[in-house]
Structures are given as structure tokens and as C-alpha cells.
Amino acid sequence: MPSFFILSTVREPKNCVINEEPESIRATSWRISRGLRMDERFPVDVVLQMDGENKGLAIPDIIANTVQFAIVSNRFKQLLAEHSAAHIEFLSVSIANHKGRIAAKDFFVANVLDQHDCIDLERSDVEQLGLEPEILSGLFRLHVLEDRIPPEAKLFRLKSMPSVILIRDDLRAVVDAAGITGVKYIGMGDRCRIY
């Protein structure tokens, strides 16, 4: 039986952090955190600015951020395209340093489109504020019902909390073997704080 992990990011002082989406996508970026296609809504010249409060300049393969995007390097993009078997819309972005100069051009927002309704609500610790009853507002411990996950699913979003992306253990092994930087995994039953 495969196991699953929440795909997350490491916060290290040496690494950059993205804390704001640019004006050019602000009106439509909610679609990415929900796993909805952007298509022509995503401009070709999007630049994500490193946060000035975080002094790190190193750019890992997956960048920590507060805008609920999976911001990945070309190397990580190629790995996901080849091994994840997921439907992913890769949206090209550049990364600007603290002074506004382009530090990296070959990055992408990996908009994972596959979603599965598989949260074990009895065993998980979640928060539901009722604004949208089918969408959770907080996740503090996750357990999934594996019989609700298709056997081919290696990377997908939680339907009731689409900002959360799950990765299966065999894909995790491929990611780790490739030496992808900046990635962190939260195991089933581990404490977390996701809004």
C-alpha cells in the first residue's frame, strides 16, 4: 500500500522567499491555489519578487512562499513532467532578487490540476469555517482514505483543501534521488499548520 505526504517547502535563512504575487496576476491567482486552469489568464512576463524581509538569495528547486504556489525550477518541472503522471499546467515565471534584478528565468508555477476527495475527516484535525462548506479553512493533521485515491495518482491536490498537494512515496523517492532542493514532506498524522 503506497503512502502519501504533503509536499511542502523548507524555510532556510540562505533561501529566498516569495510573499506576494505581482499585480499582473493578482485578480486571477486564486485559480492557481484552487488548481483551476489559468490558460491565457497568465501573462508571459510574470516576475516573482524575492521578499525583502527575508535576506536569503539562494534559489532552491522549490521556493518557499505565502501565495500558495508550487514555484519550481526547470529541473523539478522536468522531473514532474516525466514521473508524476499528473495533469500539471506549467506557468513560466522569472525570479527577481531584492533589488528587482532578474536572478533566474527558468522557473515555473506548477499548477497541479488533479484533485481527489480523500481526507479522512474522522482522523484528521481540520477547521471548517462554513464560508464554503465543501472547502476546509485549516489543516493541522492529515490522514487520507487511500481507497479513494486512484492507483495511478502520484501527485494531486486535496479536493476539500486544494492549496495542499500530496505526493506518493514512489515519486518522493524519485525527487529525493534527483537531489531536488528546498523540498519538505509532512507525513500522514504529523502536525502541520496550513491555511
Side-chain angles (χ1 to χ4, degrees):
M1 189 69 89
S3 56
F4 294 88
F5 302 84
I6 298 171
L7 181 63
S8 188
T9 54
V10 172
R11 291 277 183 126
E12 293 182 359
K14 67 177 183 174
N15 290 345
C16 67
V17 175
I18 306 292
N19 279 342
E20 193 174 335
E21 72 267 64
E23 186 65 38
S24 62
I25 62 170
R26 196 159 289 148
T28 56
S29 64
W30 63 271
R31 295 180 64 84
I32 297 170
S33 64
R34 289 288 181 97
L36 301 173
R37 278 196 166 280
M38 287 293 284
D39 296 323
E40 72 286 344
R41 296 175 192 90
F42 200 82
V44 295
D45 56 351
V46 173
V47 177
L48 301 177
Q49 176 76 45
M50 292 181 188
D51 179 55
E53 297 295 313
N54 297 279
K55 301 303 180 194
L57 290 172
I59 305 174
D61 288 307
I62 183 166
I63 301 174
N65 67 90
T66 59
V67 293
Q68 299 181 331
F69 294 170
I71 307 166
V72 301
S73 66
N74 187 52
R75 189 165 82 102
F76 199 1
K77 171 196 178 235
Q78 297 298 334
L79 186 149
L80 293 175
E82 184 177 344
H83 298 283
S84 73
H87 297 92
I88 305 172
E89 181 182 39
F90 291 105
L91 306 164
S92 181
V93 295
S94 297
I95 309 299
N97 65 19
H98 300 103
K99 295 180 179 178
R101 297 189 190 115
I102 300 300
K105 288 186 177 182
D106 55 345
F107 272 73
F108 300 83
V109 173
N111 186 14
V112 178
L113 303 174
D114 299 334
Q115 298 186 13
H116 300 296
D117 184 10
C118 60
I119 294 180
D120 184 342
L121 289 173
E122 289 183 11
R123 297 175 60 213
S124 299
D125 185 2
V126 301
E127 181 177 78
Q128 290 177 292
L129 292 180
L131 300 175
E132 295 178 78
E134 70 281 0
I135 301 294
L136 299 176
S137 53
L139 177 65
F140 311 107
R141 182 179 284 128
L142 178 66
H143 290 279
V144 294
L145 299 166
E146 293 187 7
D147 60 337
R148 290 193 183 174
I149 302 170
E152 69 277 5
K154 296 180 186 180
L155 188 77
F156 59 91
R157 294 178 186 267
L158 294 176
K159 187 168 187 168
S160 55
M161 192 159 196
S163 62
V164 175
I165 297 173
L166 294 191
I167 183 170
R168 198 168 73 187
D169 54 0
D170 53 345
L171 181 57
R172 173 188 170 164
V174 171
V175 170
D176 290 346
I180 296 297
T181 58
V183 70
K184 173 180 153 186
Y185 309 100
I186 301 169
M188 296 298 101
D190 290 348
R191 296 297 299 172
C192 60
R193 185 182 294 269
I194 303 171
Y195 294 99

